[in-house]
């Protein structure tokens, strides 16, 4: 004798669950035109214990006024950014949360409709997707923390800086 599996009748979808809501129209703003694609990697990095002297990480010269090097963990990236006086970081935004600490010098930020000068010893927190631009008011050493790590920086596709 063979046992028959009892089948449950398939649930019918209600008319309400099959309808889709119309997409809200967004008025494109200048900020949406500078949002950077590919700044978040879908690949998961392995967490590991490392001790890394900055002197062992090569500085990447992005242009004559801007250099950087960085260390990447599983969920965060720490970048040491070197800006000469007058260096401009063009307006951009990214889905990565950013914390900026100015070790030496000063940066002027245009962000959220404000101008904010961040000087040595000060910190600026930048939420995800917030458009921002910066100018070095003097030679500056800036440490940036990103969560998640900036995939465009790791892959070298950050053309807005080059």
């Amino acid at each position: 004798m063979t046992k028959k599996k009892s089948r449950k009748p398939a649930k019918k979808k209600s008319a309400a669950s099959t309808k889709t809501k119309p997409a809200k129209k967004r008025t494109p703003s200048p900020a949406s035109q500078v949002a950077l694609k590919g700044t978040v990697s879908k690949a998961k990095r392995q967490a590991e214990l490392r001790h890394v002297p900055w002197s062992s990480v090569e500085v990447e010269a992005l242009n004559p006024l801007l250099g950087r090097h960085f260390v990447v963990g599983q969920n965060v990236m720490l970048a040491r950014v070197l800006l000469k006086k007058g260096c401009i970081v063009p307006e951009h935004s990214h889905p990565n949360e950013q914390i900026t600490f100015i070790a030496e010098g000063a940066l002027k930020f245009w962000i959220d409709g404000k101008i904010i000068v961040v000087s040595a010893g000060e910190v600026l927190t930048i939420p995800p997707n917030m458009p921002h631009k910066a100018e070095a008011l003097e030679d500056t050493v800036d440490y940036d923390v990103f969560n998640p790590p900036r995939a465009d920086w790791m892959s070298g596709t950050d053309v807005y800086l080059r």
Side-chain angles (χ1 to χ4, degrees):
M1 253 180 136
T2 318
K3 285 187 180 179
K4 287 187 177 179
K5 291 184 182 179
S6 65
R7 289 184 141 184
K8 291 182 183 178
K11 289 184 181 179
K12 291 184 180 177
K13 290 185 180 179
S14 71
S17 67
T18 57
K19 289 182 181 176
T20 58
K21 293 180 182 178
K24 290 182 181 179
K25 288 189 177 181
R26 265 183 72 179
T27 307
S29 66
S32 67
Q33 295 170 359
V34 295
L36 300 172
K37 306 281 188 225
T39 62
V40 177
S41 173
K42 291 178 177 42
K44 200 68 169 161
R45 296 180 59 86
Q46 182 66 33
E48 62 180 317
L49 173 65
R50 292 186 295 157
H51 172 242
V52 182
W54 279 117
S55 60
S56 71
V57 183
E58 186 177 345
V59 175
E60 179 183 11
L62 299 166
N63 67 52
L65 300 178
L66 180 63
R68 67 153 183 239
H69 44 175
F70 52 82
V71 176
V72 181
Q74 182 176 16
N75 298 308
V76 295
M77 166 190 276
L78 175 62
R80 182 170 177 260
V81 184
L82 310 167
L83 304 98
K84 296 285 186 194
K85 181 179 180 177
C87 178
I88 302 281
V89 176
E91 184 180 54
H92 64 286
S93 66
H94 40 76
N96 319 71
E97 182 176 14
Q98 178 176 345
I99 298 175
T100 295
F101 168 71
I102 305 300
E104 299 172 27
L107 291 180
K108 182 195 300 188
F109 284 87
W110 287 263
I111 185 167
D112 199 29
K114 303 174 185 108
I115 295 176
I116 301 172
V117 174
V118 185
S119 299
E122 297 179 342
V123 174
L124 179 67
T125 63
I126 303 174
N129 302 308
M130 182 169 282
H132 54 285
K133 170 185 172 178
E135 177 184 1
L137 300 177
E138 52 190 274
D139 289 356
T140 300
V141 178
D142 156 20
Y143 290 89
D144 290 328
V145 176
F146 294 100
N147 178 32
R150 293 283 303 265
D152 61 331
W153 285 24
M154 293 185 289
S155 67
T157 57
D158 50 350
V159 294
Y160 76 102
L161 289 174
R162 296 172 188 274

